[in-house]
Amino acid sequence: MRPTLVCGCLLAAIIVAPAAAFAGPARLDKRERAIVRGVNAQRGHYGLARVKASRPLARAADYHSWEMLDADYFAHESRDGGPFDQRVRRYANKRALGETLAMLGGGCGRGSARRIVRMWMNSPGHRAILLSSAYRRIGVAKRTGSLGSTEACLVTADFSSKR
């Protein structure tokens, strides 16, 4: 029975490994940090606690931004059609999860963080996520590449509860 158990564990490791391999670094660059600051500024205006950057959530966000560019689509669902929370829980198994996406044509240049947070605040669904008191952690990732025939900057922000 022991060989079967080892084989099953090895198969599970092979299935999970590709997501982590393409997730890239969890460190936020200056524009990703600016997005977190912008989100926290908005939360502060409404008397909400700040969200804290989370490496596991940043990895989940980075994987999804990469996945969307690689498969040439823009949606909360994963490439295989699975829901976002199922994907995020592979990185951070928290009670409450939320996700916001943004796409800018032409790249993630100067002022992009401010524009992205403004876009989210102008969208009722995204605004509700940014201003939810249930969320205390955030992971942000931006990737640039081609979406269709357009050069695009894709940003994924994954939110979670503390536990």
Side-chain angles (χ1 to χ4, degrees):
M1 183 175 278
R2 192 167 227 151
T4 305
L5 179 61
V6 171
C7 184
C9 291
L10 184 59
L11 180 59
I14 291 169
I15 291 170
V16 174
F22 288 110
R27 296 184 190 275
L28 302 179
D29 70 17
K30 69 179 186 175
R31 288 199 172 68
E32 292 162 341
R33 286 191 309 271
I35 290 170
V36 174
R37 283 193 305 273
V39 168
N40 280 327
Q42 291 298 322
R43 291 174 66 87
H45 289 310
Y46 293 91
L48 296 167
R50 300 170 64 84
V51 289
K52 181 180 174 189
S54 160
R55 283 180 177 234
L57 289 174
R59 286 185 184 103
D62 189 58
Y63 178 76
H64 190 54
S65 292
W66 168 83
E67 175 182 57
M68 289 188 293
L69 285 171
D70 186 62
D72 198 29
Y73 77 101
F74 184 73
H76 290 284
E77 292 78 23
S78 294
R79 175 194 317 241
D80 65 4
F84 86 91
D85 61 320
Q86 186 177 44
R87 179 187 67 253
V88 175
R89 279 197 171 89
R90 290 194 314 240
Y91 296 87
N93 192 12
K94 303 296 183 178
R95 191 174 350 179
L97 295 172
E99 181 171 84
T100 59
L101 302 176
M103 178 174 57
L104 298 176
C108 299
R110 172 174 252 152
S112 60
R114 194 173 314 119
R115 285 189 313 177
I116 288 166
V117 173
R118 191 174 335 127
M119 285 170 29
W120 287 337
M121 289 300 290
N122 288 330
S123 162
H126 291 95
R127 179 186 178 97
I129 292 169
L130 265 63
L131 300 181
S132 172
S133 61
Y135 302 130
R136 300 302 303 276
R137 303 286 184 263
I138 187 173
V140 178
K142 68 168 180 53
R143 292 262 183 154
T144 56
S146 296
L147 199 60
S149 61
T150 304
E151 180 69 19
C153 169
L154 299 187
V155 177
T156 302
D158 288 324
F159 294 80
S160 80
S161 53
K162 197 171 184 177
R163 300 179 201 269

